């Protein structure tokens, strides 16, 4: 029986779908527009769809899922590491959503912004030297990181005009068969946010 991948549309669980597509392994996709306690027979405590069931294993959280899939099905392909970029972006997203906060006094948002800026600069420098984050070859690190540079931007819009090598990287990624399969299966009808300019946001920021 093929592994089941539970995916909440426009969420981080798309990274798991992409990993399966990149590895070319069989899986059954179970997409949801929203998550309720009855949506998944054994939902994770957080109520999200970052979960796989590979009998008898039921596993949540993206990092753990990546390690499991790469260990069991990767056959040495696609090394991976999660980073600090997305936590900083998510912190900024929630800071922007807090209409009562004073940006000038929001120390947490200022720290997150500085960390995000450093991440972008380092990433842009890296991608000026190599086509993918880990070097010459596409790896799971790309699957893990691209969500932060694309779909997450539709919730917390930001531009990439100052990072031309990241923009070119996203253009390359968008041409990969695995990424195109991910978008067709997991995010049908969604336009990939790969342009330098900020996309039109789902949430006002």
């Amino acid at each position: 029986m093929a592994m089941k991948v539970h995916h909440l549309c426009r969420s981080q669980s798309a990274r798991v779908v992409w990993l399966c597509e990149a590895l070319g392994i069989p899986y059954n996709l179970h997409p949801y527009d929203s998550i309720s306690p009855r949506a998944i027979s054994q939902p994770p405590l957080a109520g999200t769809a970052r979960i796989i069931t590979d009998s008898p294993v039921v596993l949540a959280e993206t990092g753990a899922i990546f390690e499991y899939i790469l260990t069991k099905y990767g056959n040495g392909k696609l090394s991976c590491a999660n980073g600090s970029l997305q936590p900083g972006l998510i912190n900024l997203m929630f800071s922007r959503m807090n209409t009562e906060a004073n940006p000038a006094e929001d120390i947490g948002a200022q720290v997150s912004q500085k960390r995000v800026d450093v991440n972008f600069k380092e990433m842009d420098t890296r991608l000026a030297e190599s086509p993918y984050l880990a070097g010459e070859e596409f790896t799971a690190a790309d699957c893990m990181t691209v969500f932060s540079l694309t779909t997450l931007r539709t919730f917390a819009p930001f531009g990439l005009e100052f990072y031309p090598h990241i923009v070119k990287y996203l253009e390359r990624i968008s041409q990969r068969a695995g990424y195109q399969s991910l978008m067709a299966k997991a995010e049908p009808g969604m336009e990939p946010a790969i342009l330098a300019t900020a996309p039109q946001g789902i949430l006002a920021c």
Side-chain angles (χ1 to χ4, degrees):
M1 183 180 296
M3 176 176 61
K4 295 179 181 179
V5 176
H6 298 276
H7 166 58
L8 177 63
C9 294
R10 300 199 176 192
S11 79
Q12 300 178 55
S13 53
R15 299 184 294 184
V16 179
V17 180
W18 188 11
L19 180 63
C20 293
E21 290 289 334
L23 290 172
I25 61 176
Y27 69 98
N28 292 322
L29 180 63
H30 293 257
Y32 306 93
D33 290 327
S34 62
I35 293 299
S36 69
R38 291 184 295 277
I40 303 176
S41 58
Q42 291 179 285
L45 293 177
T48 68
R50 288 172 291 170
I51 185 171
I52 63 168
T53 56
D54 193 22
S55 185
V57 175
V58 178
L59 193 61
E61 296 303 330
T62 309
I65 291 172
F66 265 52
E67 287 190 24
Y68 174 84
I69 292 176
L70 290 170
T71 299
K72 185 172 181 178
Y73 301 104
N75 296 321
K77 299 177 182 177
L78 307 186
S79 59
C80 173
N82 205 353
S84 58
L85 174 62
Q86 183 156 303
L89 287 171
I90 290 177
N91 286 340
L92 286 176
M93 180 180 74
F94 283 111
S95 294
R96 292 178 183 182
M97 291 169 61
N98 183 4
T99 57
E100 297 181 359
N102 183 343
E105 299 177 356
D106 192 338
I107 303 301
Q110 294 173 23
V111 171
S112 294
Q113 184 66 65
K114 289 181 180 179
R115 289 179 177 175
V116 166
D117 291 343
V118 169
N119 271 273
F120 280 153
K121 289 177 183 178
E122 292 294 330
M123 186 182 299
D124 197 64
T125 299
R126 173 63 172 169
L127 292 170
E129 302 169 348
S130 59
Y132 299 106
L133 294 176
E136 294 299 316
E137 296 184 2
F138 175 86
T139 70
D142 300 293
C143 294
M144 185 70 79
T145 305
V146 165
F147 174 87
S148 303
L149 301 171
T150 56
T151 303
L152 188 61
R153 295 171 68 201
T154 65
F155 290 91
F158 59 87
L160 294 170
E161 294 90 342
F162 299 109
Y163 308 103
H165 301 294
I166 294 179
V167 175
K168 292 179 180 178
Y169 164 71
L170 293 179
E171 292 175 354
R172 288 194 297 275
I173 287 292
S174 70
Q175 298 303 312
R176 294 187 64 86
Y179 183 77
Q180 292 175 357
S181 294
L182 153 73
M183 297 303 295
K185 294 179 180 180
E187 308 293 0
M190 179 181 177
E191 187 72 23
I194 62 171
L195 300 178
T197 53
Q200 182 176 354
I202 296 173
L203 300 176
C205 295

